[in-house]
Structures are given as C-alpha cells and as structure tokens.
Amino acid sequence: MYRTHTCGELRIKDVGKKVTLAGWVQRIRKMGSLSFIDLRDRYGITQLVADANASADINNEISTLGREFVIQALGSVAERSSKNSRIETGEIEIKLLGLKILNKAEIPPFTIEDNTDGGEDLRAQFRYLDLRRGPLQRAMHLRHVMSQETRKYLSSVGFWEIETPVLVKSTPEGARDFVVPSRMNPGEFYALPQSPQTMKQLLMVAGYDRYFQIAKCFRDEDLRADRQPEFTQIDCEMSFVERDDIIDTFEGMIKHLFKTILNRDFNEPFMKMPYKVAMDDYGSDKPDIRFGMKMHEITDMVKGKGFGVFDSAEYVGAIAVPGCAGYSRKQLDELTEWVKRPQVGAKGLVNIKIENEDAVKSSIGKFYSDEELKSIAESAGAAVGDLVLIMSGPARKTKIALGTLRIEMGNRLGLRDSSVFAPLWVVDFPLLEWDEETQRFYAEHHPFTAPKPSDMDKFYSDKKEDLEQVNADAYDFILNGTEVGGGSIRIHNSDIQERMFQVLGIGKEEADYKFGFLINAFKYGAPPHGGLAFGLDRFCALFGGQDSIRDYIAFPKNNVGRDMTLDAPSEIEKVQMDELCLKTVSPAEK
Amino acid sequence: MYRTHTCGELRIKDVGKKVTLAGWVQRIRKMGSLSFIDLRDRYGITQLVADANASADINNEISTLGREFVIQALGSVAERSSKNSRIETGEIEIKLLGLKILNKAEIPPFTIEDNTDGGEDLRAQFRYLDLRRGPLQRAMHLRHVMSQETRKYLSSVGFWEIETPVLVKSTPEGARDFVVPSRMNPGEFYALPQSPQTMKQLLMVAGYDRYFQIAKCFRDEDLRADRQPEFTQIDCEMSFVERDDIIDTFEGMIKHLFKTILNRDFNEPFMKMPYKVAMDDYGSDKPDIRFGMKMHEITDMVKGKGFGVFDSAEYVGAIAVPGCAGYSRKQLDELTEWVKRPQVGAKGLVNIKIENEDAVKSSIGKFYSDEELKSIAESAGAAVGDLVLIMSGPARKTKIALGTLRIEMGNRLGLRDSSVFAPLWVVDFPLLEWDEETQRFYAEHHPFTAPKPSDMDKFYSDKKEDLEQVNADAYDFILNGTEVGGGSIRIHNSDIQERMFQVLGIGKEEADYKFGFLINAFKYGAPPHGGLAFGLDRFCALFGGQDSIRDYIAFPKNNVGRDMTLDAPSEIEKVQMDELCLKTVSPAEK
C-alpha cells in the first residue's frame, strides 16, 4: 500500500500520528518560507505543509511539482493554526517529512475544479480528467449507491437478478436495432437488445416469478438531446400479479431509494392519475405536479360571444399564472412568440390580467364583458394579481401546447425546484393508437400489453370508437415531470393475444416471424405476469438534481454517437471485414 | 395478487387456514375417488387434494388438467395423513374448495423433473421449459446470490461499481472483436469490449481508487467446449496498491463468498505458488491441489543407463499413482494410448509397479536394476502398492503432458471431489514469451502488465536470456484446477512503458494507434494501480459443483454461437443493411 490513510480521513484526534498519504496535487501555495500543497484523492483533500523544518530535498521536490502530479507524502499530523471549516480535514495538516513523486502530469487542458473552464468537447475528449472533478465523482457515487440499493431492496423482496444475453435476435419492431455480424454464420446478424422485454417474459414462462436486472439497452436512434445509444434500465417482471401489486412493489423500491439516498420520507401512497386527467389538467402524460397552475377547459364558457377563434375551436383552455398580472405588453408579446415557435406550435395566446378586485384587462376585452372575463378567470382558478393565459384549437394539440406553456411558466417562476420531489403514477393509458395515414391501430406500448379487464367488451367490439376507448393495464412512473419508468400487465391468454394481433392487423405468419419464440413459449403454461423498467441514468440525474444524464454515465457518447475519449466508432481492418464476409458500400451504391 | 401464499411456504402451523395458491401442475394422481395434484412454483411444491367433499366442478376441472397447466387453487390447509419428509411442505396438503385454470399447456417436449429425458438441443430450443427444472433454478439462484454478495462485499470495502460502455473501439489485439456497424458514421464500427481493461485503467487515472463492475465481455473466438461468446466478469481495479494488497483484498471477497454461500470457513491465507513451482510440481499453471500425486523430475537419476529415450530427453518426470500397482497390461496399454492422443501428445509412457516391499516391475526393467527402479519410485514419492508413471521429452511439453495425466489419474481415482475446495494463487508469471517463429517477444498477459520490481535490472538487459527470466507482477486465482481469476499490477511509469513497447518491438506509431488514448491518459498523472477479473460463470459453476458453465447462464449460446431459443443470429432486412451501408459478400468474392 502506498498510503496509511486516504486524503479524506484524518481529523484532530489524529494529531501527532505519522502518516503516509498519496494522491494528486490540487494546488500549491508559497507563503514566505512555507509551502502548502492541497493533496486530493477520491476521499477528500488534505493540506500538506513544508515548514522551516522541512529538508532541502523536500523543498527541491516541491519546486518541481505541478498540478495533478501524483505524489506520496510522509509526515506527521498537526493541528492547523488557521482552520478550514469547508473541508472535513480542515482542522489538521500534514507536516512533511518526506515527499516522492509517483508520476508527473502534463498541464491539464482545463482546471480540475468543481467549476471548470473546460468546454464540452474538450471535457469529453479528456473524460478521465473531467471525471476527477467533484460533481462527476459525486454523480458516479450516487449512481453506485442507487444501483446497490436497488439490488438490495429487490433482493430483499424475493427478486432474483438474472442476466439476459446481449447478443440477441433482431426484431423489426420499435426502434432501430444495432446489429452485430456473425463470423461463424456468414450473412447473419445478432442484434443488441433494445430492452430485455421478451427475455424477461420467457423467464416468467420459466417460472422465475420475480426477476430483475440492471441491464444495458441499445437503440440506434438519431440522437435527440440527452439520449444515449446505450443506456441502462432497472428491468423487472413479476408473475401472478395484477396492476396494483406491481405498483405497490415498486413504490416500495422507490421509497427505499428516497429514504436511503436522499433521506426523504414518503409516508403516503403516491398519487395515481389516469392518463385522461393528466392530459386534461396538465396537457402531458408526464405531469410535473410540483406546482399547480392546472389547465381548465373553458370551451363552453367562451363560445358564442362573437370571438371567431374561440367559436370555431374544438377546445379552449386556460391556466392562471400566479402573480403575473403585471406582465407588460412586451413580455406578453414575447410569450406569444414563444408559444408560436414550432416546438410548441400554437397559433396565438390570449390573456386576462386580474390587476385588482375591479380591474380586469384582456387581449379579448372587446368580445367579453368584465364580468365574463372575471368568470373565465375564476374558472381557471385565478386570484387577484394573476395572469390568465388561454389557448384554443384542436383538443389534443392545444392541450399539449398549453401544458408546454405551463411548464415554461413554472420554470420562469422558479416553481420547479430540483430539491423538491413529486412522484406520481400515470395509469389507464389507451391501449391502441389510431394512425390516420395507414388507417390502422398501433399498440401504444407493445403488442403484449394487456387491455384492462374492465374494458374487455370494448376490446372485442368491431367499432373503432369502442377500440379507441380501451385502456391498457399500463402505468408510468413520473418524477418531477419526467418519465422515469413504465410498464404493463402482459397478455398471457392466447385468445386475447390473437385478438390483439387481429386488431393490429398482424397476420399469423407475420406474428410468427416477429414473435414466434415468445408465442410458442406461451403455449406451454404462461402465468399471468407484468412488469416495468426504470431508466437508471435518468433516475440518477433526477436524484442528483440535474437535467442532463451525461454526468451520470462514466463514458457517454456525444450527440452523433461518438465516444470522444476512446475515439469510437472507427474503421476496422480489411481482414476483419473479410472474416465477416462484409463490404462497405457508399450511400450511392446502395 | 393471484395467491395468498407461495407453493413453498405452508407448514403444519398453517393448518386450518384458507389459502389461495397459484403455480404449475407438476403431476396428478388419482386414488379411487381422491385426486392429488402437485402444484409447483419457484418456491416449492404443495400437494392439493380433491376429496369426497370436493364439488363436481372441481373434479371436472381436474379431469381437464395436464402437466404444466397454470392453475389457481383455493382451499384449506390440512395435515396430511401420509407425510412426505422430502419436501418442506410435506406435512400439509390443501383441501380444494375451488380451482381455476389460468392457462393451458401443451405437452412439454421433455419431462420437467430434476432428471429430465430431454436431449441437449431440445432443451436449448425450449430453454424456458428447461429453466423450470430444479437444477437450473438452483443454478440461477446461486448466480443471483453470488452477484449480490460480491457487490455487497466490494461495496463494503470502498469499491464503487461503475458501468463502462459496451459500444467501444476495436483494437486489433488479443482475441477477435465482435463489431457493430455505425449507421451514423458509415464505414465505421464500434467493437464490443473483450473486457473493460482499458476503461478501468482510465478510471484509475480519473482517481476512482477502487472500481468494480460485473460486466459482460465479448470474444468472437471459435468456441471450444464450454466457452461462450459473451461471458461475465467480476472486473476490479485499485490504485496506490502493490500485489499483495490486491491479493489480500480479493482473498477477502472470495472467503466472504465461501462463507455466505457455502458456509465454508477458510481461516488460513490461501497458498501462493510461483508459476515455476506450479509447472514443475503439477505441469500446469492452474494446479488442482485437492490431491497430491505431485510430479518429480528424475532426469539426472535415469540418464546413462542405456535407455536411449531417457538419455536423449531434456526432461524426465514421474508421478506416483496411489494404490494402482495392480494395473493390468491392458489397463497400462490403454493409459499409454490415452497419453498418445493429440490432446496430450506424449510419445509414450513408462511405468514402475511397486507390488510389494520386494517386487518391483517395470516396462524398463531391462535397463534398470530393481534397486534403481526402487530409488526412482522413491523419488516420485511412491509407496508400496503404487504405480509410478514416467514421461520424457522436451521439458515444457512433457511437464504439461504429465500434468494432464496427473489430472486424469485424479479423475479416475475419484480424487477430484467437487464438494472439496482448494483455492490457490499462482504468482510470478513470466512477463514475456519468446516466439520462435517471429523471433520476438510477446506479452504473456498484456503490454500494460508491470515487471516485478525485483526483476527491473533484467528487464533493461539486452540479453534474451535475461528478459526471459523477468517475472510479471501478475497473479491468477485457481480453484480446483480451474483458473477463476487473474490480474496484474499495471505499468504506470511512462519510461517503463516505453521500455516495454521496445522489448515487444512495438514502435511509437503503432503504440499510438493501438493504445493512444490510454498512453495519453497516462501523461496526466496516472497513479500506481492494478487489478484483476474473475470469470463469474465459471465461479458459479465451481460453487455449484458443476463442470459446465451453461447451466449457470440463463440463455447460453451453443457451440456455433447460436441462441437456440431466440434463433439468433438471423438474416436482417435489406433496408437495415442499406442504412448501415453494408453488403454481404460470399466468401469467394472477398
């Protein structure tokens, strides 16, 4: 061992001890004849000091040191004259008796401090230096603890962690697969799993009863901001359960994580909100319930008063933004521009300001009396001093746009505090989604998601309107407006599965080709089962109070799927291509 | 929940309770008017009984049941008249009050019993049924516990589990990479990691101090028996440590696993055996020390007596096989044939039988006196009743062949009891291996393995003989003759690394191309570090007392790398190939 102690553990009680530390030089300060070195490792920072008694050798060594040099320091623990209460070792320092350079370091391309001066690309390229910084070390530690506590909890309630393969079969469903050419089977490919979904269902057929896995998943998608081609799921499945058994079990896990990691207690059950309510009240299937500002439909109230935009609208909805009655014309114009951007896609924005008990101002004042405006504002839940914002148009599209505006106003008003946690289950999702273009239904989740038992009549109806109303036994776990997990009860009955394929317009041959092994497995005694998966990267980021998942992944890819540290992907040698019986063609040759 | 209890938990104290169970029909027996059903789930088997009081409905349902049907049973717990002490629920049975078929099952293609009648291919194809059998459930559970206890122990001594990426850079070193074409970077490929080796070294540079990961690794090798293209490692690395710090840490982990999983105590430190001793005494770098039968060199004793084979041999070695002096001519001929097979590759086999105090018989009796034969036998450690087996030839090759024979004799004599555990560290491996064909040195382990500090002079010598004698700071963990883990102290000093590349004949350009990102990282303050990795699949199999790792992997590949359950690999659609800018060529076109 190169050390007797870490840089984070010495305290006032250790004064007088002779110790050896090893770590990285954080900074060096000279004060007259004294030299101070902050020595850093994963555990903390300890101050080394070469005082008047230090040997010439030590002082010579110190004069050659630079930032990030790796050194070994021998010395005795002494009480500091000027203590530093910001670090845990701040009451002591090490009076140097010896110092050895274990490794030199070139000057790092950015500062290794909590707030660094490095740009994103540079930090990605030198990820091993970025990872030395406090915020990333804390992120990696949080992730470690999340993983261990997840496993501990699930093991304690009878789940077995079972590894499923990474080289699996390509199925042309869902997102695009990453594929792996097979040298031993030329012309054939493995796929990397988009999730262990089918494998975990096989494990239920195999009687494993309670399965989990912290599993790598892969999707070859064009990367949107903050998506990764490889990501990690807490993947789970249970047998002989109904929806609330699953929700209760994993609510237990989530509460365990909140308690052990953030020391937060949630004594009440999490709210369960039907999808329809989420869309009506929040314009989103992942509502952020840290703040109110709920949406209110005012369609009936506003029609027939001569305002054509509202008269022709399928839906008119309003939110009451607290304390913003004083918004200037300029601010309101800016907001209107904001909602007109393609990302929101609204046509316009109507406002009512409740300036005081008597004064109501509105952009649609000429169509509505003050009383009418007041009563609209009241319906939107507005009080004196509030700003009512109103959107109109096709119902679904407008609700989503108004929900987006709600989130924006929440951000602007500081209502989305990352240290507040508002967990929520969204339930009763539609089973099917009608696609106008292809004039057919698609599965909202996947074709193995079960209809709610209470909707079984409608599921067997021939009418499109009935089928549209069938809800799935599916659920999402939402934290602070972010979808962190989701799952469903699966179909285990072959008649219902057959009906599902029929509704989706999937013929027997197609079903066999795509899902043959699973359908076959289901013939041999499949238990009722269901499960869910949590996005671990996202879960960690939320627990850490951060928006981006990248800091919670040791070596993330950039937004063109490149690992800047390893410089992957890269060309491979011709002999490798030959062994795989593969040739690259230019896009033109395809 | 479809049940109030599992099939493994009801006991005599529960008699009188009304319960609901769910599970699979293991078997049905009729005895007059009584029907018995063994109901099985992951937790056990419980007997259901429909007696004279059972309703006609129940009896009707029972008459439609088949093996592996999934049922839900309502009943009251009763004491059995004839108890079954072989199962934990054997004192009770459930008197049926209701029975519901949750799912039917086709007749399984093999019996779901501990000893099944299914062949290997059939069981691979129907893996989800094979996984229902007791031995596989126990194997999966053992693996689950091994994984959790490994994590628990390593976390408790300060290791952080950090996930490294699966889509990495292809490096033309070591085994063959599986590659993944990048759609977003046409013509470029990711590789799947053969191990997280370079990534974990980057994490040490990043200051993570103690890292572990239970990580999937991938090697596109022609599969020998019991190798898998994807396998799992317990992968670990530590900073500021020397060899014995690492060995002590992981010996702690191994002892923890032995204690918690098998309830075995190892109070003494595991033996550390130098590689040279292992080769001399056991003819193997992974000696099985559950039994003696050590090899003894007798080269000097046997030369010059007119037996040409020995006179010209570089090495002559012997083992004493206990109690086998009575081997017949036929048995000895068979053994000789056995060692002549290409897998062993010996030229022949000489024997001496110590039949009693006075009678010594030998196949080389005409060259050696009885006294000489006795003294040879004595050197081999033989006692009366033993059979001495002797091989000769080139030293290394002959030692390995004799070591292989030793293992075979251990098997034949039942000395390799899978319930006995003999752990061992093999240390002081050669750093370099001379390749006659290319007339250059190769790294035995990998080019980042450090020479032993005590061999540094020889490491800088220009003489081939000196370099051949340099030992590496490397170590393997051996259990019962199987290599379960291995690792090394890495080079952290750039001068030593440069010398290593020089010795290996790797130029600067080549080194940069192959290991550029790691060499670069090492410029910014790499700490002294080292680590090791354990093969989890193998570790589990040994703990389970089995030879094959396949039962410890939920969905293993067969020996041409095919997943028989999922039917992977498979052809992919042309549109996928086009998106990847790839074309398959026939071997002839290459």
Side-chain angles (χ1 to χ4, degrees), chain A residues 29-293:
Chain A
R29 280 160 298 142
K30 295 255 178 200
M31 291 177 68
S33 66
L34 299 179
S35 296
F36 295 96
I37 300 169
D38 280 353
L39 190 66
R40 187 196 73 232
D41 65 12
R42 197 191 82 184
Y43 309 89
I45 286 181
T46 298
Q47 178 167 290
L48 314 177
V49 59
D51 61 14
N53 299 319
S55 67
D57 280 357
I58 290 177
N59 282 305
N60 284 341
E61 282 290 75
I62 290 178
S63 68
T64 69
L65 291 182
R67 277 200 290 137
E68 301 304 318
F69 272 45
V70 185
I71 62 171
Q72 186 181 35
L74 174 74
S76 58
V77 183
E79 183 168 1
R80 281 206 212 182
S81 50
S82 91
K83 297 197 169 55
N84 179 349
S85 62
R86 281 171 298 120
I87 59 173
E88 293 193 88
T89 62
E91 294 195 290
I92 58 96
E93 63 191 1
I94 311 297
K95 286 195 188 297
L96 283 174
L97 300 169
L99 191 152
K100 186 178 169 190
I101 295 174
L102 297 174
N103 224 338
K104 294 176 186 176
E106 293 188 7
I107 295 168
F110 48 85
T111 55
I112 313 292
E113 305 274 357
D114 278 13
N115 291 307
T116 180
D117 56 355
E120 198 169 320
D121 281 357
L122 201 61
R123 285 190 289 124
Q125 190 189 337
F126 292 90
R127 184 72 174 176
Y128 43 88
L129 298 181
D130 204 23
L131 282 167
R132 284 185 189 167
R133 297 191 308 111
L136 272 82
Q137 296 232 345
R138 288 189 287 275
M140 290 301 127
H141 184 247
L142 174 66
R143 186 179 180 119
H144 163 68
V145 179
M146 286 283 277
S147 305
Q148 306 311 317
E149 289 298 334
T150 297
R151 291 190 165 99
K152 200 186 292 179
Y153 184 84
L154 292 177
S155 300
S156 77
V157 293
F159 285 79
W160 292 358
E161 187 165 26
I162 299 175
E163 289 176 55
T164 55
V166 171
L167 297 170
V168 299
K169 186 188 171 79
S170 184
T171 52
E173 271 294 294
R176 210 183 275 108
D177 284 325
F178 280 105
V179 295
V180 181
S182 166
R183 182 181 53 86
M184 285 204 269
N185 306 274
E188 297 191 337
F189 293 75
Y190 302 97
L192 304 183
Q194 294 184 27
S195 84
Q197 181 65 36
T198 48
M199 270 95 70
K200 70 178 173 179
Q201 293 194 246
L202 289 181
L203 288 173
M204 292 305 105
V205 175
Y208 280 79
D209 205 76
R210 293 181 164 213
Y211 142 93
F212 83 101
Q213 185 182 194
I214 298 190
K216 271 282 169 73
C217 304
F218 305 86
R219 286 183 199 168
D220 185 12
E221 291 297 290
D222 297 319
L223 300 176
R224 284 188 275 154
D226 219 30
R227 283 266 178 125
Q228 288 283 318
E230 54 177 303
F231 56 98
T232 304
Q233 279 186 357
I234 304 168
D235 190 54
C236 313
E237 196 82 2
M238 302 171 76
S239 289
F240 300 116
V241 288
E242 290 158 304
R243 186 195 77 178
D244 285 352
D245 301 319
I246 295 181
I247 286 183
D248 291 349
T249 302
F250 290 95
E251 195 165 308
M253 180 192 92
I254 296 160
K255 287 177 174 173
H256 173 83
L257 294 176
F258 269 118
K259 180 64 187 169
T260 52
I261 294 165
L262 300 174
N263 195 27
R264 306 243 176 175
D265 290 297
F266 286 86
N267 298 316
E268 298 301 313
F270 296 163
M271 187 194 295
K272 287 192 191 88
M273 186 186 289
Y275 168 81
K276 194 180 171 316
V277 174
M279 291 307 293
D280 287 350
D281 290 0
Y282 299 94
S284 168
D285 57 2
K286 35 181 186 284
D288 186 346
I289 57 169
R290 279 176 295 184
F291 64 104
M293 214 191 285

Side-chain angles (χ1 to χ4, degrees), chain A residues 285-354:
Chain A
D285 57 2
K286 35 181 186 284
D288 186 346
I289 57 169
R290 279 176 295 184
F291 64 104
M293 214 191 285
K294 276 192 203 176
M295 291 159 41
H296 295 271
E297 177 162 8
I298 52 169
T299 316
D300 292 340
M301 295 184 75
V302 297
K303 291 217 173 191
K305 306 290 173 176
F307 183 43
V309 173
F310 285 177
D311 285 348
S312 65
E314 184 192 357
Y315 168 90
V316 186
I319 56 172
V321 187
C324 290
Y327 260 37
S328 67
R329 172 68 178 265
K330 196 177 153 207
Q331 282 175 301
L332 289 166
D333 284 350
E334 185 267 327
L335 259 191
T336 307
E337 288 314 307
W338 191 89
V339 299
K340 282 181 171 175
R341 296 177 319 140
Q343 294 92 320
V344 186
K347 288 262 162 56
L349 188 62
V350 164
N351 68 72
I352 304 173
K353 301 176 182 177
I354 318 292

Side-chain angles (χ1 to χ4, degrees), chain B residues 317-430:
Chain B
I319 57 172
V321 186
C324 290
Y327 260 38
S328 67
R329 172 69 179 266
K330 196 177 151 207
Q331 281 176 301
L332 289 167
D333 285 350
E334 186 268 327
L335 260 191
T336 306
E337 288 313 307
W338 191 89
V339 300
K340 282 181 170 174
R341 295 177 319 139
Q343 295 92 321
V344 186
K347 287 260 161 55
L349 188 62
V350 164
N351 69 72
I352 305 173
K353 300 176 183 178
I354 318 292
E355 299 190 331
N356 61 50
E357 293 289 348
D358 302 312
V360 180
K361 277 193 190 156
S362 173
S363 53
I364 50 169
K366 60 179 162 182
F367 298 104
Y368 299 91
S369 70
D370 277 9
E371 278 318 302
E372 283 167 338
L373 291 173
K374 271 190 202 168
S375 117
I376 291 169
E378 209 167 277
S379 296
V384 168
D386 291 359
L387 170 69
V388 178
L389 295 173
I390 303 173
M391 282 182 182
S392 64
R396 186 178 160 79
K397 190 169 172 286
T398 306
K399 285 179 191 173
I400 292 171
L402 190 56
T404 308
L405 176 64
R406 174 183 171 271
I407 291 294
E408 174 66 11
M409 296 317 293
N411 284 334
R412 292 187 184 198
L413 296 181
L415 302 174
R416 307 188 71 209
D417 182 349
S418 67
S419 70
V420 172
F421 292 95
L424 167 74
W425 295 100
V426 174
V427 297
D428 296 349
F429 285 85

